[in-house]
Amino acid sequence: MIELKIMGDDVLKRQSSLVPKVDKKVRDLIEAMFETMYEGKGLGLAAPQIGELRRLFICQIPDDQPRIFVNPEIVQTSEDQVLLEEGCLSIPGVYAEVLRPRQVTVQAWNEHGKPFTINADGLLSRVIQHELDHLNGVLFVDRLNEKKRQRILKTYTKKVSA
Ligand code: NI
């Protein structure tokens, strides 16, 4: 288990770089990320959350297989949007409803560097969008309106300093 980066750490606000090649090093990183995600009981984890600014995330939602996305790109989103509650291992104890497209089509590489395309909706679509945001230095609280964001961050600060 690797130490998770928590909100306030500058690394979570930065852009990640493309992964040039999926080699053993990257696969080791993926393995470490799964350990960390399962340990934290999260549904997804992006590389920047363990301090690695690389375009890579993993996820596993209930009743689904583990999924790996290297150099992911959203190529299509549905017009309709839905409110769903989100949390993040990097913002412990904070949950809020976030509005995002219902469905996404994503292109990425798998753990062997092989390209694939996936159409996702429901929880998987949500987790993919949340994790992909991490690769661009965006946290889910950044997607809330200012009032809601301030209120939530206040609760968070209270909890952290308690
Ligand atoms: Ni997150």
Side-chain angles (χ1 to χ4, degrees):
M1 158 123 189
I2 300 168
E3 200 192 330
L4 274 162
K5 301 292 180 186
I6 300 301
M7 186 167 63
D9 194 314
D10 189 58
V11 79
L12 294 172
K13 288 187 181 170
R14 290 169 60 194
Q15 280 280 337
S16 288
S17 310
L18 286 170
V19 178
K21 187 174 114 199
V22 183
D23 53 15
K24 168 117 182 13
K25 254 187 165 167
V26 173
R27 278 192 290 273
D28 287 348
L29 174 63
I30 289 169
E31 200 180 311
M33 284 171 65
F34 271 110
E35 269 176 44
T36 306
M37 182 181 80
Y38 292 139
E39 180 89 11
K41 297 186 167 42
L43 300 180
L45 188 75
Q49 291 181 274
I50 57 165
E52 296 280 344
L53 286 167
R54 304 191 214 189
R55 301 195 76 80
L56 156 64
F57 70 80
I58 58 164
C59 67
Q60 185 168 16
I61 61 165
D63 303 316
D64 191 26
Q65 67 197 80
R67 294 182 186 275
I68 296 155
F69 295 80
V70 180
N71 297 332
E73 221 180 306
I74 293 180
V75 291
Q76 207 187 325
T77 56
S78 63
E79 264 176 41
D80 56 324
Q81 300 197 316
V82 276
L83 269 177
L84 272 181
E85 188 175 74
E86 295 187 26
C88 182
L89 289 176
S90 294
I91 321 174
V94 172
Y95 301 89
E97 286 196 322
V98 185
L99 189 66
R100 295 187 194 260
R102 180 187 300 274
Q103 198 216 339
V104 289
T105 305
V106 182
Q107 288 181 347
W109 298 350
N110 68 10
E111 69 275 30
H112 305 293
K114 196 170 166 255
F116 67 92
T117 303
I118 183 173
N119 278 304
D121 61 17
L123 185 55
L124 182 59
S125 164
R126 180 53 57 122
V127 172
I128 288 172
Q129 293 179 70
H130 174 116
E131 299 309 330
L132 215 146
D133 264 357
H134 276 299
L135 309 183
N136 297 319
V138 175
L139 299 175
F140 82 88
V141 290
D142 299 327
R143 297 265 180 205
L144 304 172
N145 68 46
E146 194 52 29
K147 211 171 151 193
K148 202 170 167 189
R149 200 173 93 95
Q150 290 304 336
R151 199 181 60 218
I152 278 175
L153 293 185
K154 225 169 146 183
T155 326
Y156 177 69
T157 316
K158 248 190 235 158
K159 247 186 223 162
V160 167
S161 55

